[in-house]
Amino acid sequence: APNAKIVVGGSQITHSPTTKIPRAELVDIFVQGQGEEVLTAIVHAVTNQTSIRTMSVLPQITSQDIYPFNDFTTSRTFFSREDHIIPGEAMSFEFARGCIFKCSFCSYDLLNKKIGDYTKTKETMREELIHNYNEHGTVDYVITDDLINDSEDKINLLLDLTQSLPFQIHYSGYLRLDLLRRFPNTIPKLLDSGLIGCF
């Protein structure tokens, strides 16, 4: 597919030189940071055979600084029939971005955030979950947040959200065990909100 564009992003692209990426010469465009608006710009450029704004020509690197994305808290993912969702299929669900910690081993974006930053509103999440249930029968999720249990406030919001639904969801995602030990009162809240497994 000689006309296909290879686009690569993620934390390694954001925090490392592209020269350290294996087979970097095959990549058409590198994306740094949050990719929603960047990806939209790339799709429009490919469709209309135009160019995108970049920070460098070779390799082509673009970023959220050039195409900012500022409305995460009210953004929704609505899957349609064109996405070929199987009835009852488990889906990914993004509750919040970033993490309040800044661990030395982590290279993700949006670290050391304040509690509540980059967190979707309850209404936004509720609308997305109800849509998925009504359209696809989905009640099973993988929460893709960097860390689900980074604060009790976040867990309380998750519990409040799931208890406001007319159905019970089940989910798995990434938790820190040391935080469960330090805050054992969060364990029943996570279970009551629908946690069935974790990494």
Side-chain angles (χ1 to χ4, degrees), residues 97-184:
R97 286 194 177 162
C99 183
I100 63 172
F101 301 106
K102 191 171 183 179
C103 302
S104 60
F105 59 81
C106 187
S107 63
Y108 288 164
D109 288 339
L110 308 175
L111 298 179
N112 207 27
K113 70 173 187 172
K114 293 179 181 152
I115 292 174
D117 284 354
Y118 313 112
T119 300
K120 289 186 179 181
T121 66
K122 176 185 170 185
E123 295 75 25
T124 297
M125 293 184 287
R126 190 173 192 280
E127 186 177 339
E128 188 175 329
L129 293 171
I130 287 176
H131 170 84
N132 291 341
Y133 179 77
N134 289 339
E135 294 297 315
H136 312 291
T138 298
V139 295
D140 297 316
Y141 289 91
V142 175
I143 295 183
T144 59
D145 294 19
D146 297 338
L147 179 59
I148 293 174
N149 66 328
D150 63 3
S151 74
E152 192 164 1
D153 288 350
K154 184 176 175 183
I155 294 169
N156 288 338
L157 177 58
L158 181 58
L159 179 60
D160 186 43
L161 165 69
T162 58
Q163 290 186 338
S164 76
L165 297 170
F167 50 87
Q168 175 67 50
I169 69 165
H170 312 106
Y171 67 89
S172 64
Y174 180 67
L175 301 177
R176 277 183 47 174
L177 291 176
D178 60 323
L179 295 174
L180 294 177
R181 182 180 177 121
R182 183 171 177 195
F183 304 106

Side-chain angles (χ1 to χ4, degrees), residues 16-145:
S16 301
T18 56
T19 54
K20 291 190 173 184
I21 305 300
R23 309 286 305 247
E25 71 278 3
L26 299 176
V27 176
D28 294 296
I29 303 166
F30 289 100
V31 176
Q32 295 180 338
Q34 310 303 303
E36 281 83 356
E37 293 300 328
V38 177
L39 188 58
T40 301
I42 291 170
V43 169
H44 287 303
V46 170
T47 302
N48 300 318
Q49 297 182 343
T50 58
S51 59
I52 63 163
R53 292 173 293 173
T54 61
M55 301 181 305
S56 65
V57 178
L58 286 173
Q60 282 197 54
I61 302 173
T62 190
S63 77
Q64 66 183 11
D65 295 332
I66 297 173
Y67 296 98
F69 176 64
N70 299 317
D71 60 351
F72 171 74
T73 60
T74 57
S75 66
R76 298 166 181 84
T77 301
F78 290 137
F79 293 98
S80 65
R81 289 185 181 166
E82 290 79 15
D83 295 308
H84 303 288
I85 302 298
I86 298 168
E89 179 178 345
M91 294 183 181
S92 62
F93 182 73
E94 193 174 25
F95 183 86
R97 286 194 177 162
C99 183
I100 63 172
F101 301 106
K102 191 171 183 179
C103 302
S104 60
F105 59 81
C106 187
S107 63
Y108 288 164
D109 288 339
L110 308 175
L111 298 179
N112 207 27
K113 70 173 187 172
K114 293 179 181 152
I115 292 174
D117 284 354
Y118 313 112
T119 300
K120 289 186 179 181
T121 66
K122 176 185 170 185
E123 295 75 25
T124 297
M125 293 184 287
R126 190 173 192 280
E127 186 177 339
E128 188 175 329
L129 293 171
I130 287 176
H131 170 84
N132 291 341
Y133 179 77
N134 289 339
E135 294 297 315
H136 312 291
T138 298
V139 295
D140 297 316
Y141 289 91
V142 175
I143 295 183
T144 59
D145 294 19

